[in-house]
């Protein structure tokens, strides 16, 4: 298995633009998680899905953030409009319940 | 609610020194416990895990024992190498299914 695949690896965008981050989980995993990592706040859980259904989105910072999982092999995290304070590394991870996560390599987002 | 507390970093050691990174947790029930490692510019990787009290997880010379009586899961290695320089995260799997709760991370720097 190729692991959890995220794209793009790096994204630089201007304030106010829409940003879409993509994630392909490991086949057969039933959970998918989106995290944000910054120096100030560390790792923050934004949202997670179980069998494609959003379970907990309480970590999504604002209405500007949205996430979807249309099928078991694909998820997106969208920021619209983006702001400089959204600059961070965004990680996607997938798991089978109780087995620990497999993380993707992350998307480094810079909003200028 | 459930939580994880790690010793603050950065931890700086000389090569071949003994490593301990403390981790304590608060949880209801019997969570699984994990250590993850993050190398610069990469996502988190599972290092080891333990699923019940008195279990010892081990990998790549690292060990941690699940101590229910002290609610601890300290990470140890007998002889660190420069290549062990990374950030280490302790985590617990809550009993609500799938979600991991991470500590704040401890940066380890090993000098030759």
């Amino acid at each position: 298995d190729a692991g959890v695949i995220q794209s793009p690896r790096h994204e630089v965008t201007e304030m106010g633009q829409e940003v879409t981050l993509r994630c392909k989980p490991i086949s057969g995993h039933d959970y998918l998680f989106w995290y944000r990592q910054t120096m100030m706040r560390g790792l923050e859980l934004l949202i997670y899905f179980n069998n494609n259904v959003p379970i907990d989105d309480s970590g999504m910072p604002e209405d500007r953030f949205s996430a979807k999982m249309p099928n078991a092999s694909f998820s997106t995290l969208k920021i619209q409009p983006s702001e400089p304070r959204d600059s961070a590394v965004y990680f996607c991870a997938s798991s089978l319940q109780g087995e620990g996560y497999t993380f993707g390599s992350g998307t480094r987002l810079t909003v200028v | 609610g459930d939580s994880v507390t790690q010793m603050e970093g950065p931890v700086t050691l000389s090569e071949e020194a003994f490593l301990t990174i403390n981790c304590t947790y608060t949880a209801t029930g019997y969570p699984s416990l994990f250590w993850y490692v993050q190398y610069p510019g990469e996502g988190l990787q599972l290092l080891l895990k333990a699923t019940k009290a008195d279990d010892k997880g081990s990998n790549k010379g690292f060990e941690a024992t699940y101590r229910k009586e002290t609610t601890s899961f300290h990470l140890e290695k007998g002889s660190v190498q420069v290549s062990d320089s990374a950030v280490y995260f302790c985590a617990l799997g809550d009993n609500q299914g799938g979600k991991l709760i991470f500590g704040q991370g401890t940066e380890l720097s090993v000098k030759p």
Side-chain angles (χ1 to χ4, degrees):
Chain A
D1 199 318
V4 176
I5 300 172
Q6 291 187 246
S7 64
R9 286 298 308 272
H10 302 274
E11 177 80 36
V12 180
T13 191
E14 291 185 347
M15 183 173 63
Q17 296 298 305
E18 177 180 293
V19 175
T20 299
L21 311 181
R22 296 172 176 80
C23 175
K24 176 178 168 53
I26 290 176
S27 176
H29 281 189
D30 56 352
Y31 281 85
L32 184 138
F33 306 83
W34 282 101
Y35 279 86
R36 178 171 69 176
Q37 187 178 37
T38 61
M39 290 293 291
M40 292 297 293
R41 294 197 176 93
L43 267 174
E44 301 174 275
L45 176 62
L46 301 178
I47 185 171
Y48 74 99
F49 297 83
N50 177 221
N51 292 321
N52 313 339
V53 176
I55 302 301
D56 183 353
D57 66 354
S58 60
M60 297 285 263
E62 301 170 32
D63 290 346
R64 298 184 296 106
F65 286 69
S66 63
K68 294 181 180 179
M69 191 165 186
N71 57 61
S73 59
F74 184 65
S75 177
T76 60
L77 177 68
K78 186 176 293 187
I79 308 172
Q80 166 63 21
S82 58
E83 297 183 3
R85 60 194 167 122
D86 301 331
S87 297
V89 181
Y90 291 81
F91 288 105
C92 176
S94 69
S95 78
L96 279 173
Q97 183 174 344
E99 294 299 315
Y101 293 7
T102 300
F103 278 79
S105 298
T107 295
R108 181 173 296 276
L109 174 65
T110 303
V111 183
V112 298
Chain B
D2 295 355
S3 66
V4 176
T5 302
Q6 293 180 231
M7 65 186 288
E8 290 195 18
V11 174
T12 303
L13 296 174
S14 297
E15 205 164 22
E16 300 184 1
F18 185 85
L19 168 70
T20 300
I21 299 178
N22 290 339
C23 171
T24 57
Y25 68 90
T26 302
T28 55
Y30 305 96
S32 296
L33 299 173
F34 304 83
W35 276 101
Y36 282 80
V37 58
Q38 184 179 29
Y39 299 103
E42 298 183 12
L44 280 72
Q45 303 173 25
L46 179 63
L47 181 59
L48 54 84
K49 68 178 183 182
T51 57
K52 61 183 187 296
D54 300 325
D55 268 2
K56 178 186 284 187
S58 62
N59 186 24
K60 299 181 181 180
F62 291 90
E63 294 182 341
T65 301
Y66 188 161
R67 302 284 189 203
K68 192 171 187 303
E69 63 276 14
T70 54
T71 62
S72 65
F73 192 55
H74 304 322
L75 182 68
E76 297 182 336
K77 187 175 184 183
S79 176
V80 293
Q81 305 299 313
V82 172
S83 57
D84 294 326
S85 299
V87 180
Y88 293 81
F89 292 88
C90 184
L92 70 84
D94 73 3
N95 294 318
Q96 297 171 7
K99 187 170 71 171
L100 287 184
I101 297 168
F102 286 90
Q104 72 272 32
T106 301
E107 182 181 358
L108 170 66
S109 177
V110 181
K111 305 298 185 186

